[in-house]
Amino acid sequence: MFSKGNMFLADMDEMVKRAREILKKGPLPSMVDWATAFSLWPVHLMTSCCGCEIGAAWGPRFDNERYGSLPWVSPRQTNLIIVEGTVTRKMGCSVRITWEQMPYPKFAIAMGVCALDGGLFYNSYNIIRPWQVIPIDIYIPGCPPRPEAVARSIVELQRKIREEGVASGWLADGERQDLKNIIPKEDLCSWRGEDVDLSTRYS
Ligand code: SF4
């Protein structure tokens, strides 16, 4: 026989299942996509010098907030991560852990030519590409990209969310469907040693 607490959890599972079914039909998916597109809260992960331009992009002159995006400080309350520049092998582990802490539906922008193909460090032994670490939705070229290019990436991501319905789709499925190319976390974080707990805290 269920205790009261277990019955509540059993009901919750059923409620989540039914909510996901509802999310796949009717006008709700487009409403979810519309609301998500204009509620992007980017957390910026300053892996390199590109991060300087983020301050300008959301500052008073270029004011990216007018597009419906508000920079936030904690990955646990955000739905967009901006990886700013070079990702070294050691930073790859931190990028993955940060991304895993974000709730669905979540998106990623890779900023700067270093994040595209390595840029200045193209052949360096200790560089990996962001798309090997997390699934990337939008790339911003440039060294560094100008604030207008950052604004363009936000608008492009909004267009992608609304036209392709990705937010409601991932919410209904519980995860993204494009995770096949990324490196397993154990390999990314192997330099930290076998005894380190790699579970995402508070998840
Ligand atoms: S693209 Fe240019 S500004 Fe951005 S991280 Fe690379 S070297 Fe720095």
Side-chain angles (χ1 to χ4, degrees):
M1 194 169 166
F2 283 121
S3 71
K4 203 170 178 185
N6 284 344
M7 276 191 76
F8 176 73
L9 287 176
D11 289 344
M12 279 296 287
D13 286 344
E14 185 61 26
M15 281 170 64
V16 169
K17 193 172 150 208
R18 291 186 67 180
R20 286 188 170 151
E21 282 167 11
I22 293 169
L23 262 172
K24 289 183 179 171
K25 47 192 170 188
L28 204 53
S30 53
M31 286 172 64
V32 169
D33 291 319
W34 173 81
T36 306
F38 294 108
S39 310
L40 293 172
W41 287 20
V43 64
H44 71 112
L45 193 63
M46 192 167 169
T47 52
S48 199
C49 30
C50 267
C52 302
E53 295 297 322
I54 289 291
W58 271 273
R61 180 165 182 189
F62 295 97
D63 190 17
N64 270 4
E65 273 189 48
R66 64 197 150 126
Y67 299 113
S69 64
L70 180 69
W72 203 247
V73 288
S74 165
R76 295 186 195 108
Q77 286 98 36
T78 55
N79 53 6
L80 170 61
I81 184 170
I82 304 180
V83 181
E84 296 154 10
T86 328
V87 178
T88 60
R89 288 191 182 278
K90 280 193 169 180
M91 269 306 285
C93 180
S94 302
V95 173
R96 173 69 69 80
I97 289 173
T98 307
W99 185 78
E100 286 186 354
Q101 290 180 25
M102 295 163 55
Y104 273 96
K106 54 187 172 186
F107 309 93
I109 291 176
M111 180 177 179
V113 69
C114 286
L116 268 73
D117 66 357
L120 293 175
F121 311 102
Y122 180 77
N123 284 328
S124 179
Y125 66 94
N126 62 346
I127 297 299
I128 51 175
R129 312 297 187 249
W131 54 265
Q132 294 174 298
V133 182
I134 57 175
I136 302 293
D137 296 288
I138 304 282
Y139 290 91
I140 318 175
C143 178
R146 282 195 49 85
E148 295 95 324
V150 179
R152 175 75 191 273
S153 74
I154 297 290
V155 172
E156 276 298 309
L157 182 57
Q158 289 171 332
R159 184 198 58 74
K160 176 176 175 170
I161 293 170
R162 296 185 69 187
E163 289 184 6
E164 299 178 18
V166 286
S168 55
W170 291 335
L171 207 55
D173 294 336
E175 66 170 11
R176 293 179 61 132
Q177 301 302 312
D178 53 356
L179 302 175
K180 54 185 180 299
N181 290 327
I182 59 177
I183 301 172
K185 188 155 101 180
E186 295 72 30
D187 296 344
L188 267 180
C189 302
S190 57
W191 61 270
R192 295 179 70 167
E194 290 177 3
D195 296 335
V196 178
D197 179 11
L198 294 177
S199 59
T200 306
R201 287 180 303 152
Y202 311 123
S203 62

